């Protein structure tokens, strides 16, 4: 089993593109392998006759032989599974997790087991952002604006862009924000690299393109790596507030709710304005409640006066 990504520990053979006993040439795509981040083809590095050792559907650790290429032929082993049957609950069908789902399960368990997290929530007036979105030269979602505001705020709060590791803090020089995209009953997190240096328009283009690549199954491992901060949004589903988990090797993750019209009091008057709630989940070993509050105050300030979002690259 070849290593196709830095974090890959095992791979699942989805399908063979060449048959057992078939002659293959160097550079031919042999097999599709599902890793922890994406589905990728593996190509032959030599020419010869393919002898398949592992059948489609098998999950094998890195380094385990899946085939040989030589002058001999052979027969591949096959595996079969069957539904398991329960009693009081009726028939139970067991669904095997995909590699992406296994990764999510491991990361969630690792986060909960190793990171003492806490959350801080802030309400943000998005009225000026709503006005900004009506401009002909602005083609960005509310989430794009929150991502850009977070990137600028991370410049002023480097520990939020860091991590706790083995008794010390790691502070990253680049601000790379991963944003959660649901795909095939799993979650993938493509990365906007150097988000603080990119104009809002470029961020909007990149988030849309990366999300489309995730949904089309064309995202690559490098596009899913290198994040220093994570943002998750359920605004499109109408969720007002929720909490996410801290990604291992990061200090915090931002959960973004829906932008809604609500009645609020402004200067003693009841007005209908666009409002948003954002919740920061933090690793308490590196970020205390006051640290989280100051970071969120910076995000709120940038969103309530969004001129800096469109001006800065």
């Amino acid at each position: 089993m070849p290593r196709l990504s830095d974090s890959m520990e095992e791979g699942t053979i989805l399908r063979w593109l060449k048959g057992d006993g078939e002659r293959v040439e160097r550079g031919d795509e042999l097999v599709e392998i599902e890793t922890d981040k994406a589905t990728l083809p593996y190509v032959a590095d030599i020419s010869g006759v393919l002898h398949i050792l592992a059948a489609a559907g098998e999950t094998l650790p890195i380094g385990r032989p899946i085939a040989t290429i030589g002058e001999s032929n052979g027969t591949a082993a096959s595996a079969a599974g069957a539904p398991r049957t329960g009693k009081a609950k009726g028939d139970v069908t067991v669904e095997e997790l995909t590699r992406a789902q296994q990764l999510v399960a491991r990361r969630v368990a690792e986060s909960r087991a190793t990171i003492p997290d806490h959350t801080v929530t802030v309400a943000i007036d998005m009225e000026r952002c709503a006005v900004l979105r009506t401009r002909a030269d602005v083609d960005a979602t509310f989430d794009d604006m929150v991502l850009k505001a977070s990137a600028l705020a991370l410049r002023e709060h480097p520990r939020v862009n860091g991590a706790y590791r083995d008794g010390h803090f790691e502070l990253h020089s680049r601000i790379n924000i991963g944003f959660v995209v649901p795909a095939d009953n799993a979650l993938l997190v493509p990365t906007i690299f150097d988000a603080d240096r990119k104009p809002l328009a470029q961020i909007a283009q990149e988030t849309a393109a990366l999300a489309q690549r995730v949904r089309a199954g064309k995202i690559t491992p490098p596009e899913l790596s290198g994040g220093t901060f994570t943002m998750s949004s359920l605004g499109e589903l109408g969720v007002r507030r929720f909490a996410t988990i801290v990604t291992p090797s990061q200090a915090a993750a931002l959960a973004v709710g829906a932008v809604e019209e609500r009645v609020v009091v402004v200067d003693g008057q009841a007005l209908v304005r666009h409002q948003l709630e954002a919740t920061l989940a933090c690793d308490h070993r590196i970020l205390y409640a006051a640290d989280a509050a100051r970071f969120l105050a910076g995000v709120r300030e940038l969103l309530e006066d969004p001129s800096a979002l469109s001006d800065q690259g």
Side-chain angles (χ1 to χ4, degrees), residues 24-25 69 73 93 97 114 118 125 147 206 229 245 251 279:
V24 298
E25 302 299 329
I69 297 177
N73 196 0
T93 300
L97 275 66
T114 64
H118 66 103
D125 189 303
L147 192 152
E206 290 190 17
F229 181 84
I245 64 168
T279 299

Side-chain angles (χ1 to χ4, degrees), residues 269-297:
Q269 291 185 315
L271 302 175
V272 177
R273 297 178 70 88
H274 291 83
Q275 300 287 300
L276 173 147
E277 292 189 26
T279 299
L280 189 71
C282 310
D283 184 339
H284 215 314
R285 297 170 297 180
I286 184 172
L287 294 177
Y288 310 133
D291 299 319
R294 283 190 283 267
F295 169 75
L296 288 174

Side-chain angles (χ1 to χ4, degrees), residues 157-213:
H157 302 274
R159 273 200 287 156
V160 185
N161 194 53
Y164 175 92
R165 187 188 299 274
D166 300 329
H168 61 267
F169 297 158
E170 294 181 346
L171 307 181
H172 306 298
S173 61
R174 299 177 68 183
I175 295 175
N176 304 332
I177 298 185
F179 63 101
V180 178
V181 179
D184 294 332
N185 297 316
L187 300 173
L188 295 179
V189 188
T191 304
I192 302 296
F193 292 91
D194 301 311
D196 59 318
R197 301 179 183 179
K198 293 178 177 176
L200 178 61
Q202 183 177 352
I203 288 176
Q205 292 171 358
E206 290 190 17
T207 56
L210 287 168
Q212 178 59 34
R213 287 174 60 78

Side-chain angles (χ1 to χ4, degrees), residues 19 24 80 92 99 123 242 269 301-302:
V24 298
V92 177
R99 291 291 303 128
F242 70 104
Q269 291 185 315
E301 181 179 354
L302 287 162

